[in-house]
Amino acid sequence: NVRFRHGNVKMYCDSAYFYDGKNSFDAFGHVKVVQPDSFTVTSNKMFYDGNFQLLRARGNVVMDNSEFVLHTENFDYYKGKGYGYYFDGGKIVDPQYVLTSERGYYYPGPKKSTFKRNVKLENPNLTIVSDTLLFDSKHDVATLVGPSHLYYKDYTVYTDNGWANTKTNEGALFNYSVITSKDGKRITADTIL
């Protein structure tokens, strides 16, 4: 029943080493971090530096921000700078989609995320495979940067610059993207809406 508080952030664990001179601690066992109106993080262990407001969660990390849930093994959060990231693979589960990638950067204030390397976003109507995907969860818009493939029921899309609304399936494609239907018909143009 170990408890720490730093500002409005509350942290819980089974045991911890506290370094008073460094304003930091190492937490172990059933670690839980609660930042009101932002997110909750649970993990096996955590390292917190109060001077830099840096939280490093390790092992079976689950970050829940009430809009989606992130599952990863390593998650770092810079409270003062207002962003967090995972760097060793992660899976995000949202009521409308599932997203996996090797790296992800999360900005809770504007509700935006950036995903890199082997990105895959899936929902019942659409699968996106890309190297880099920017996601605005406030507006449900995925922006594609770099070579990307979108797989719909009746057609596929190749683009290196475009966006898609994951709720409405509306979008725009640029830079001579290619749409190919199941029967082999193709369309390409500088801009496709």
Side-chain angles (χ1 to χ4, degrees), residues 8-13 30-44 46 55 57 60-72 75-77 106 108:
N8 67 342
V9 179
K10 295 178 182 175
M11 297 163 257
Y12 310 88
C13 62
H30 300 98
V31 177
K32 183 177 181 180
V33 178
V34 179
Q35 181 169 328
D37 302 324
S38 189
F39 62 78
T40 299
V41 175
T42 59
S43 64
N44 295 341
M46 182 189 68
L55 174 149
N60 198 28
V61 179
V62 177
M63 189 272 290
D64 185 342
N65 72 354
S66 77
E67 291 183 6
F68 65 80
V69 178
L70 165 67
H71 301 268
T72 187
F75 179 73
D76 291 357
Y77 182 69
Y106 168 61

Side-chain angles (χ1 to χ4, degrees), residues 88-105:
D88 199 19
K91 177 180 180 180
I92 290 178
V93 179
D94 175 273
Q96 296 167 16
Y97 66 88
V98 174
L99 186 146
T100 57
S101 67
E102 289 182 28
R103 293 177 177 259
Y105 301 84

Side-chain angles (χ1 to χ4, degrees), residues 70 74-76 83-90 92 99 101-107 113-117 133:
L70 165 67
N74 301 293
F75 179 73
D76 291 357
Y83 78 95
Y85 69 96
Y86 62 87
F87 50 87
D88 199 19
I92 290 178
L99 186 146
S101 67
E102 289 182 28
R103 293 177 177 259
Y105 301 84
Y106 168 61
Y107 303 88
S113 302
T114 300
F115 304 98
K116 294 180 177 277
R117 296 187 184 159
L133 184 142

Side-chain angles (χ1 to χ4, degrees), residues 158-163 172-177 189-193:
Y158 171 81
T159 187
D160 63 9
N161 184 1
W163 62 268
L173 305 169
F174 308 101
N175 296 352
Y176 292 97
S177 302
D190 179 62
T191 303
I192 303 172
L193 304 177

